[in-house]
Amino acid sequence: MTDTPHLEGAHADPEDLASASRQTSVYVYEVPVRIWHWVNALAIVVLCLSGYFIGSPPPSMQIAEATHQFVFGYVRFAHFAAGWILAIGFLGRIYWAIFGNHHARQLFYFPFWNGAYWKEVIHELKWYLFLTREPKKYVGHNPLAQLAMFFFITLGVSFMIVTGLALYAEGLGTDSGLYALFGWVFTLFGHNPHIVHTLHHLGMWWIVIFMIVHIYVAIREDIMSRQSIVSTMISGHRTFKDDRPQ
């Protein structure tokens, strides 16, 4: 038995059949990229939640006597564990940008010297602001997404990792090996750890803003654009909804 009778059943009209025949897909995101994306997302959620409570501790909880509680210790442990996962995962992501396909490298650069690229950025910005009716098709990240990923993820996460490791090293002590590697961060800010703490906390909100916009845009694109977005980061395949080239 073939699938043809099913396609030609009562639930499909000629337009449905024509649409089904036009569906094409391209393998874009390899397995390591997809695993990193979801692990990274989970780590960032844990970091933001625990980081918020570290910066704004909750009132004492009447769970037990203070000497028998370790609530804030668990919050800090979750933050440090997620931070190490983020840092090690980011190193792995850099490795795969070198040895993976060319889509894996989009996260780490954008062609700022290319005038055509900036025209595409403007077009995508108009599309997201509902100022143009027709989206374009892209196999990898669209130009605006590539630009946002570079500033919010590549630069933003790098900043959070470096400042986070510096603050962690401060807790280990100035004679620790980690402080020898990241103590220079405090030198940049006049040896004032409070400035580093503040910038690290502000960086958290930078990432939170990106996450909100990223989720909105991804769902919106899946519904309104001419290609899949969310499912692509699950299956690795970008599916196109029409056969027009642009």
Side-chain angles (χ1 to χ4, degrees), residues 75-98:
V75 171
R76 284 168 53 84
F77 174 78
H79 193 77
F80 296 153
W84 279 112
I85 291 172
L86 183 78
I88 295 170
F90 196 68
L91 289 177
R93 185 64 179 84
I94 293 173
Y95 171 87
W96 199 254
I98 298 171

Side-chain angles (χ1 to χ4, degrees), residues 2 6 28 39 59 66 91-92 120 125 140 146 167 224 226 235 246:
T2 66
H6 175 73
V28 179
V39 171
L91 289 177
E120 295 289 306
L125 187 59
Q146 185 178 4
L167 293 170
M224 301 181 65
R226 298 159 62 197
S235 68
Q246 295 293 332

Side-chain angles (χ1 to χ4, degrees), residues 76-220:
R76 284 168 53 84
F77 174 78
H79 193 77
F80 296 153
W84 279 112
I85 291 172
L86 183 78
I88 295 170
F90 196 68
L91 289 177
R93 185 64 179 84
I94 293 173
Y95 171 87
W96 199 254
I98 298 171
F99 296 101
N101 64 19
H102 68 278
H103 298 295
R105 290 187 280 278
Q106 278 192 299
L107 186 70
F108 295 95
Y109 79 98
F110 66 97
F112 63 91
W113 59 86
N114 189 327
Y117 167 82
W118 290 106
K119 289 181 180 178
E120 295 289 306
V121 169
I122 293 172
H123 177 273
E124 287 302 303
L125 187 59
K126 289 180 178 179
W127 162 244
Y128 290 131
L129 293 175
F130 298 95
L131 298 177
T132 186
R133 290 176 173 270
E134 188 71 12
K136 293 187 177 183
K137 294 165 70 173
Y138 298 96
V139 176
H141 291 305
N142 70 55
L144 183 59
Q146 185 178 4
L147 184 67
M149 290 285 185
F150 178 80
F151 279 101
F152 281 91
I153 296 299
T154 305
L155 297 185
V157 169
S158 296
F159 176 82
M160 295 301 284
I161 290 173
V162 170
T163 55
L165 287 173
L167 293 170
Y168 185 75
E170 181 192 26
L172 295 178
T174 56
D175 58 344
S176 65
L178 200 63
Y179 194 91
L181 291 174
F182 293 96
W184 56 269
V185 174
F186 298 107
T187 304
L188 293 178
F189 300 99
H191 297 282
N192 188 340
H194 297 294
I195 295 177
V196 180
H197 274 275
T198 300
L199 291 176
H200 190 73
H201 191 73
L202 290 174
M204 178 197 76
W205 291 111
W206 175 261
I207 300 296
V208 167
I209 291 170
F210 169 77
M211 288 173 60
I212 293 171
V213 174
H214 177 62
I215 293 171
Y216 159 72
V217 167
I219 295 174
R220 178 185 185 274

Side-chain angles (χ1 to χ4, degrees), residues 58-72 74-75:
S60 297
M61 289 177 278
Q62 301 301 318
I63 300 172
E65 289 294 330
T67 54
H68 298 153
Q69 295 187 66
F70 197 62
V71 176
F72 200 69
Y74 290 130
V75 171

